[in-house]
Amino acid sequence: MVLAHKTVLYGLNPMIDVKMGVGRFTFETHPNRVLELVLFSNVSNARDLHQKMLAGVLGFEAAFINASLMPDVVPVLASANKALIAESRGMMTTKNLHSELVYNLSGSKHITQSLQRWGISQNSSSLLVGCFDADADQLKAVRGSVEGKEMALDTLSEVVDAGLVLKSYKIPETELQVGSISDAILTRIALRDCT
């Protein structure tokens, strides 16, 4: 499985419960931390979720990720790992761990632009929802708040918009001759703080 191969390379330990559709991931650098990922398609209440998130009245914390920009979960896991490292060093750029995850998906240092593009928008039709250290009640709240079809994580490629990914990450076709879209995204995530 490609996911297992790539995540081992990046120091991540995937534990996917495909039956539930939830991805449960731990991190070598933070073995006591867990990220749960749930994929939704045909989301009909993105506008309401976006407004509640901005107002801080969701009732739970979560990273709402624009799933159409994620070819697989590896970039999300790399961003989550980067967010955990920033939190442990007291060097987060955003207000909380979940927004830090979304911010880290971007190759840009522009916080607002990053959160708007890679996070939930009023028109989002597919969402990848990430929750750090979630308990059963928090996952139930996520499922109860998103009006859409829950999908297995291994179907993420069905909701991705490859053209939008290439445009958003500014990936030239020539780069895809030597690596995958996911590899190109990982490069941008890793190099953002080096410029």
mmCIF file of all heavy atoms in Angstrom, residues 32-55:
data_model
loop_
_atom_site.group_PDB
_atom_site.id
_atom_site.type_symbol
_atom_site.label_atom_id
_atom_site.label_comp_id
_atom_site.label_asym_id
_atom_site.label_seq_id
_atom_site.Cartn_x
_atom_site.Cartn_y
_atom_site.Cartn_z
ATOM 1 N N ASN A 32 1.987 9.927 22.025
ATOM 2 C CA ASN A 32 0.749 9.981 22.806
ATOM 3 C C ASN A 32 -0.335 10.806 22.138
ATOM 4 O O ASN A 32 -1.390 11.031 22.739
ATOM 5 C CB ASN A 32 1.037 10.529 24.209
ATOM 6 C CG ASN A 32 1.969 9.623 24.977
ATOM 7 O OD1 ASN A 32 1.902 8.407 24.846
ATOM 8 N ND2 ASN A 32 2.851 10.213 25.757
ATOM 9 N N ARG A 33 -0.074 11.288 20.930
ATOM 10 C CA ARG A 33 -1.049 12.108 20.211
ATOM 11 C C ARG A 33 -1.631 11.303 19.054
ATOM 12 O O ARG A 33 -0.932 10.527 18.398
ATOM 13 C CB ARG A 33 -0.391 13.379 19.666
ATOM 14 C CG ARG A 33 0.306 14.243 20.691
ATOM 15 C CD ARG A 33 -0.607 14.774 21.793
ATOM 16 N NE ARG A 33 -1.646 15.643 21.356
ATOM 17 C CZ ARG A 33 -1.558 16.972 21.304
ATOM 18 N NH1 ARG A 33 -0.451 17.585 21.672
ATOM 19 N NH2 ARG A 33 -2.576 17.698 20.910
ATOM 20 N N VAL A 34 -2.912 11.512 18.807
ATOM 21 C CA VAL A 34 -3.618 10.782 17.751
ATOM 22 C C VAL A 34 -4.393 11.791 16.900
ATOM 23 O O VAL A 34 -4.987 12.736 17.434
ATOM 24 C CB VAL A 34 -4.613 9.762 18.361
ATOM 25 C CG1 VAL A 34 -5.435 9.072 17.285
ATOM 26 C CG2 VAL A 34 -3.868 8.745 19.212
ATOM 27 N N LEU A 35 -4.369 11.582 15.597
ATOM 28 C CA LEU A 35 -5.181 12.381 14.676
ATOM 29 C C LEU A 35 -6.217 11.464 14.047
ATOM 30 O O LEU A 35 -5.883 10.419 13.496
ATOM 31 C CB LEU A 35 -4.317 13.018 13.584
ATOM 32 C CG LEU A 35 -5.092 13.802 12.511
ATOM 33 C CD1 LEU A 35 -5.714 15.058 13.115
ATOM 34 C CD2 LEU A 35 -4.178 14.163 11.354
ATOM 35 N N GLU A 36 -7.464 11.858 14.159
ATOM 36 C CA GLU A 36 -8.566 11.128 13.526
ATOM 37 C C GLU A 36 -8.982 11.923 12.297
ATOM 38 O O GLU A 36 -9.155 13.145 12.368
ATOM 39 C CB GLU A 36 -9.771 11.023 14.470
ATOM 40 C CG GLU A 36 -9.447 10.559 15.859
ATOM 41 C CD GLU A 36 -9.635 9.079 16.054
ATOM 42 O OE1 GLU A 36 -10.031 8.388 15.106
ATOM 43 O OE2 GLU A 36 -9.374 8.607 17.170
ATOM 44 N N LEU A 37 -9.145 11.248 11.159
ATOM 45 C CA LEU A 37 -9.579 11.902 9.928
ATOM 46 C C LEU A 37 -10.864 11.252 9.439
ATOM 47 O O LEU A 37 -10.962 10.020 9.379
ATOM 48 C CB LEU A 37 -8.511 11.782 8.837
ATOM 49 C CG LEU A 37 -7.213 12.536 9.051
ATOM 50 C CD1 LEU A 37 -6.204 12.180 7.970
ATOM 51 C CD2 LEU A 37 -7.462 14.035 9.074
ATOM 52 N N VAL A 38 -11.841 12.091 9.082
ATOM 53 C CA VAL A 38 -13.112 11.617 8.546
ATOM 54 C C VAL A 38 -13.383 12.387 7.264
ATOM 55 O O VAL A 38 -13.279 13.617 7.227
ATOM 56 C CB VAL A 38 -14.281 11.843 9.536
ATOM 57 C CG1 VAL A 38 -15.559 11.226 9.006
ATOM 58 C CG2 VAL A 38 -13.953 11.294 10.913
ATOM 59 N N LEU A 39 -13.722 11.671 6.192
ATOM 60 C CA LEU A 39 -13.978 12.269 4.883
ATOM 61 C C LEU A 39 -15.478 12.344 4.612
ATOM 62 O O LEU A 39 -16.197 11.371 4.834
ATOM 63 C CB LEU A 39 -13.293 11.430 3.802
ATOM 64 C CG LEU A 39 -13.530 11.826 2.345
ATOM 65 C CD1 LEU A 39 -12.984 13.226 2.063
ATOM 66 C CD2 LEU A 39 -12.896 10.798 1.413
ATOM 67 N N PHE A 40 -15.907 13.510 4.122
ATOM 68 C CA PHE A 40 -17.308 13.705 3.744
ATOM 69 C C PHE A 40 -17.376 14.243 2.323
ATOM 70 O O PHE A 40 -16.586 15.112 1.939
ATOM 71 C CB PHE A 40 -17.995 14.727 4.665
ATOM 72 C CG PHE A 40 -18.104 14.300 6.093
ATOM 73 C CD1 PHE A 40 -17.125 14.649 7.017
ATOM 74 C CD2 PHE A 40 -19.179 13.536 6.525
ATOM 75 C CE1 PHE A 40 -17.216 14.268 8.339
ATOM 76 C CE2 PHE A 40 -19.278 13.144 7.849
ATOM 77 C CZ PHE A 40 -18.301 13.506 8.758
ATOM 78 N N SER A 41 -18.330 13.753 1.552
ATOM 79 C CA SER A 41 -18.607 14.304 0.222
ATOM 80 C C SER A 41 -20.045 14.815 0.208
ATOM 81 O O SER A 41 -20.815 14.563 1.143
ATOM 82 C CB SER A 41 -18.414 13.241 -0.868
ATOM 83 O OG SER A 41 -19.380 12.226 -0.733
ATOM 84 N N ASN A 42 -20.411 15.524 -0.835
ATOM 85 C CA ASN A 42 -21.767 16.066 -0.985
ATOM 86 C C ASN A 42 -22.209 16.848 0.253
ATOM 87 O O ASN A 42 -23.347 16.709 0.722
ATOM 88 C CB ASN A 42 -22.779 14.957 -1.295
ATOM 89 C CG ASN A 42 -22.418 14.188 -2.550
ATOM 90 O OD1 ASN A 42 -21.984 14.770 -3.542
ATOM 91 N ND2 ASN A 42 -22.555 12.882 -2.502
ATOM 92 N N VAL A 43 -21.309 17.656 0.779
ATOM 93 C CA VAL A 43 -21.612 18.451 1.973
ATOM 94 C C VAL A 43 -22.577 19.575 1.591
ATOM 95 O O VAL A 43 -22.323 20.337 0.659
ATOM 96 C CB VAL A 43 -20.319 19.026 2.592
ATOM 97 C CG1 VAL A 43 -20.628 19.934 3.766
ATOM 98 C CG2 VAL A 43 -19.389 17.899 3.008
ATOM 99 N N SER A 44 -23.682 19.656 2.316
ATOM 100 C CA SER A 44 -24.703 20.653 1.979
ATOM 101 C C SER A 44 -24.757 21.822 2.968
ATOM 102 O O SER A 44 -25.453 22.808 2.714
ATOM 103 C CB SER A 44 -26.080 19.978 1.910
ATOM 104 O OG SER A 44 -26.405 19.397 3.167
ATOM 105 N N ASN A 45 -24.051 21.737 4.086
ATOM 106 C CA ASN A 45 -24.130 22.804 5.084
ATOM 107 C C ASN A 45 -22.781 23.471 5.352
ATOM 108 O O ASN A 45 -22.497 23.925 6.462
ATOM 109 C CB ASN A 45 -24.720 22.274 6.396
ATOM 110 C CG ASN A 45 -23.823 21.264 7.098
ATOM 111 O OD1 ASN A 45 -23.065 20.540 6.460
ATOM 112 N ND2 ASN A 45 -23.926 21.211 8.415
ATOM 113 N N ALA A 46 -21.943 23.564 4.327
ATOM 114 C CA ALA A 46 -20.616 24.171 4.496
ATOM 115 C C ALA A 46 -20.723 25.629 4.934
ATOM 116 O O ALA A 46 -19.947 26.085 5.773
ATOM 117 C CB ALA A 46 -19.813 24.063 3.205
ATOM 118 N N ARG A 47 -21.685 26.350 4.399
ATOM 119 C CA ARG A 47 -21.861 27.765 4.769
ATOM 120 C C ARG A 47 -22.124 27.893 6.274
ATOM 121 O O ARG A 47 -21.506 28.705 6.962
ATOM 122 C CB ARG A 47 -23.004 28.379 3.974
ATOM 123 C CG ARG A 47 -23.315 29.822 4.344
ATOM 124 C CD ARG A 47 -24.492 30.363 3.528
ATOM 125 N NE ARG A 47 -24.182 30.319 2.119
ATOM 126 C CZ ARG A 47 -23.782 31.373 1.403
ATOM 127 N NH1 ARG A 47 -23.696 32.537 1.982
ATOM 128 N NH2 ARG A 47 -23.514 31.254 0.132
ATOM 129 N N ASP A 48 -23.013 27.069 6.793
ATOM 130 C CA ASP A 48 -23.351 27.108 8.218
ATOM 131 C C ASP A 48 -22.148 26.707 9.077
ATOM 132 O O ASP A 48 -21.855 27.359 10.079
ATOM 133 C CB ASP A 48 -24.539 26.174 8.481
ATOM 134 C CG ASP A 48 -24.983 26.179 9.926
ATOM 135 O OD1 ASP A 48 -25.162 27.286 10.492
ATOM 136 O OD2 ASP A 48 -25.152 25.084 10.495
ATOM 137 N N LEU A 49 -21.448 25.640 8.681
ATOM 138 C CA LEU A 49 -20.260 25.202 9.424
ATOM 139 C C LEU A 49 -19.183 26.283 9.423
ATOM 140 O O LEU A 49 -18.553 26.551 10.445
ATOM 141 C CB LEU A 49 -19.689 23.923 8.810
ATOM 142 C CG LEU A 49 -20.478 22.640 9.027
ATOM 143 C CD1 LEU A 49 -19.912 21.514 8.171
ATOM 144 C CD2 LEU A 49 -20.472 22.252 10.494
ATOM 145 N N HIS A 50 -18.992 26.913 8.276
ATOM 146 C CA HIS A 50 -17.984 27.974 8.144
ATOM 147 C C HIS A 50 -18.313 29.136 9.083
ATOM 148 O O HIS A 50 -17.441 29.638 9.800
ATOM 149 C CB HIS A 50 -17.929 28.439 6.682
ATOM 150 C CG HIS A 50 -16.874 29.442 6.407
ATOM 151 N ND1 HIS A 50 -17.160 30.776 6.195
ATOM 152 C CD2 HIS A 50 -15.524 29.319 6.328
ATOM 153 C CE1 HIS A 50 -16.034 31.425 5.985
ATOM 154 N NE2 HIS A 50 -15.024 30.569 6.056
ATOM 155 N N GLN A 51 -19.571 29.556 9.101
ATOM 156 C CA GLN A 51 -19.985 30.668 9.962
ATOM 157 C C GLN A 51 -19.836 30.307 11.445
ATOM 158 O O GLN A 51 -19.359 31.117 12.240
ATOM 159 C CB GLN A 51 -21.422 31.078 9.646
ATOM 160 C CG GLN A 51 -21.541 31.760 8.299
ATOM 161 C CD GLN A 51 -22.989 32.022 7.890
ATOM 162 O OE1 GLN A 51 -23.924 31.497 8.475
ATOM 163 N NE2 GLN A 51 -23.168 32.838 6.861
ATOM 164 N N LYS A 52 -20.217 29.094 11.816
ATOM 165 C CA LYS A 52 -20.092 28.660 13.211
ATOM 166 C C LYS A 52 -18.626 28.571 13.621
ATOM 167 O O LYS A 52 -18.267 28.937 14.744
ATOM 168 C CB LYS A 52 -20.773 27.303 13.417
ATOM 169 C CG LYS A 52 -22.280 27.383 13.445
ATOM 170 C CD LYS A 52 -22.884 26.016 13.672
ATOM 171 C CE LYS A 52 -24.395 26.095 13.755
ATOM 172 N NZ LYS A 52 -25.005 24.760 13.941
ATOM 173 N N MET A 53 -17.788 28.088 12.714
ATOM 174 C CA MET A 53 -16.368 27.982 13.021
ATOM 175 C C MET A 53 -15.773 29.368 13.242
ATOM 176 O O MET A 53 -15.048 29.595 14.205
ATOM 177 C CB MET A 53 -15.628 27.269 11.889
ATOM 178 C CG MET A 53 -14.157 27.034 12.177
ATOM 179 S SD MET A 53 -13.271 26.401 10.758
ATOM 180 C CE MET A 53 -13.317 27.827 9.678
ATOM 181 N N LEU A 54 -16.093 30.318 12.365
ATOM 182 C CA LEU A 54 -15.575 31.675 12.502
ATOM 183 C C LEU A 54 -16.071 32.346 13.783
ATOM 184 O O LEU A 54 -15.350 33.117 14.410
ATOM 185 C CB LEU A 54 -15.957 32.522 11.286
ATOM 186 C CG LEU A 54 -15.261 32.152 9.971
ATOM 187 C CD1 LEU A 54 -15.783 33.008 8.826
ATOM 188 C CD2 LEU A 54 -13.752 32.265 10.091
ATOM 189 N N ALA A 55 -17.310 32.035 14.179
ATOM 190 C CA ALA A 55 -17.880 32.614 15.400
ATOM 191 C C ALA A 55 -17.425 31.868 16.661
ATOM 192 O O ALA A 55 -17.666 32.334 17.775
ATOM 193 C CB ALA A 55 -19.410 32.607 15.310
#
